[in-house]
Amino acid sequence: MISSVQKRKQFLSEAKKVGYTARGLGYAYAALEPYIDAETMRLHYSQHYMGYLDKLNAALPRNLSMLGRETVEKLLYNFKDLPNNISKDRLEDIKFNAGGVDNHNVFWKNIAPNGPEQPDKQLKDILKIFGTITQLKASFKERALAIKGSGWCWLVKKDDQLSFMATSNQDSPRLTGHTPILGLDMWEHAYYLKHKNDKEKYVDDFWKVVNWNDVWRRYLES
Ligand code: MN3
């Protein structure tokens, strides 16, 4: 039997020339308690996220040039530039797993322990297009709860315009040129252990751990 650690090592050595590496959470699995529980974070990061990363690296053709794809963000923005000799199935694998990696990269940083409870004044002023912060949260929740099956709810930016967006499965907003500013994972694996079928409570708890500093940084950098 080959252990998952060995398997991972094998993947990583095979992916030496082409491939992406994991980004850290930056906080402990238990740091978001009681809103997001440690066991969910542990499974979500070490199994689901690492799984997307391993599968992404495995799906990349060995001879793929990394030029223009140095980061998973760039790979997604430039997705249509992938060589046209890659099979449709493999392209689907790359798209799904690259989205899986990048969506979580955003999510891990969008939430944090001890983040500011409210956006600071500058960001608050910008977000006024959605009404008050309470109204923004309500609209975001409505959008998130309307997702059928697995997907993500987003606040995105494109051409200097902010909007809400929902994507299915692991589709990344970057595929359509949108930059994710704030994202919420609406896959069952993100909440089911703790919140069971109470998605509404999960969304409410998400707002308790949103890191507005990261939202602001992504807004400025996009
Ligand atoms: Mn997830």
Side-chain angles (χ1 to χ4, degrees):
M1 272 293 281
I2 169 163
S3 75
S4 63
V5 175
Q6 279 171 313
K7 247 192 222 166
R8 205 172 140 63
K9 271 194 186 144
Q10 209 172 49
F11 265 130
L12 287 177
S13 65
E14 283 168 15
K16 233 175 206 159
K17 283 191 197 133
V18 285
Y20 302 96
T21 52
R23 299 198 195 154
L25 270 185
Y27 46 82
Y29 294 138
L32 305 172
E33 296 263 11
Y35 306 110
I36 304 181
D37 60 294
E39 183 62 0
T40 296
M41 287 305 291
R42 189 182 66 75
L43 285 169
H44 203 173
Y45 184 86
S46 70
Q47 303 299 310
H48 293 278
Y49 172 63
M50 289 301 184
Y52 297 126
L53 183 66
D54 288 343
K55 286 179 194 146
L56 169 61
N57 286 333
L60 296 173
R62 293 296 127 221
N63 57 355
L64 182 71
S65 161
M66 293 301 277
L67 195 67
R69 322 186 166 94
E70 293 87 349
T71 61
V72 73
E73 289 92 333
K74 282 191 181 179
L75 170 71
L76 288 162
Y77 281 131
N78 303 325
F79 195 79
K80 59 179 189 329
D81 299 336
L82 279 167
N84 55 15
N85 60 356
I86 301 177
S87 75
K88 225 177 156 193
D89 282 354
R90 194 185 270 250
L91 277 177
E92 272 305 309
D93 266 4
I94 297 173
K95 186 177 89 167
F96 180 85
N97 291 295
V101 171
D102 181 56
N103 292 342
H104 289 90
N105 283 343
V106 175
F107 185 58
W108 305 142
K109 296 297 175 187
N110 273 169
I111 51 179
N114 312 315
E117 267 176 41
Q118 293 273 328
D120 72 12
K121 196 180 169 316
Q122 275 172 297
L123 179 56
K124 221 178 204 170
D125 281 348
I126 291 161
L127 295 174
K128 270 188 184 147
I129 53 165
F130 301 108
T132 63
I133 296 300
T134 306
Q135 287 166 331
L136 176 151
K137 288 178 182 176
S139 305
F140 188 93
K141 176 152 87 177
E142 198 180 320
R143 200 73 200 253
L145 296 181
I147 293 170
K148 304 227 177 358
S150 298
W152 289 76
C153 189
W154 303 99
L155 179 63
V156 295
K157 192 172 160 196
K158 186 180 185 179
D159 302 328
D160 237 27
Q161 296 282 320
L162 283 175
S163 57
F164 296 122
M165 185 178 193
T167 57
S168 294
N169 300 310
Q170 293 295 358
D171 282 359
S172 163
R174 299 190 211 274
L175 294 168
T176 50
H178 294 81
T179 300
I181 304 294
L182 176 67
L184 175 58
D185 191 339
M186 291 304 291
W187 283 58
E188 281 189 351
H189 68 228
Y191 61 85
Y192 211 84
L193 280 183
K194 179 181 168 70
H195 294 90
K196 303 294 187 284
N197 57 335
D198 194 351
K199 285 201 227 182
E200 197 172 342
K201 179 75 165 66
Y202 166 63
V203 180
D204 290 342
D205 279 348
F206 163 70
W207 288 114
K208 302 273 175 44
V209 291
V210 163
N211 179 9
W212 289 105
N213 293 335
D214 186 64
V215 179
W216 179 231
R217 183 182 65 79
R218 286 176 197 279
Y219 177 85
L220 291 179
E221 288 176 0
S222 62

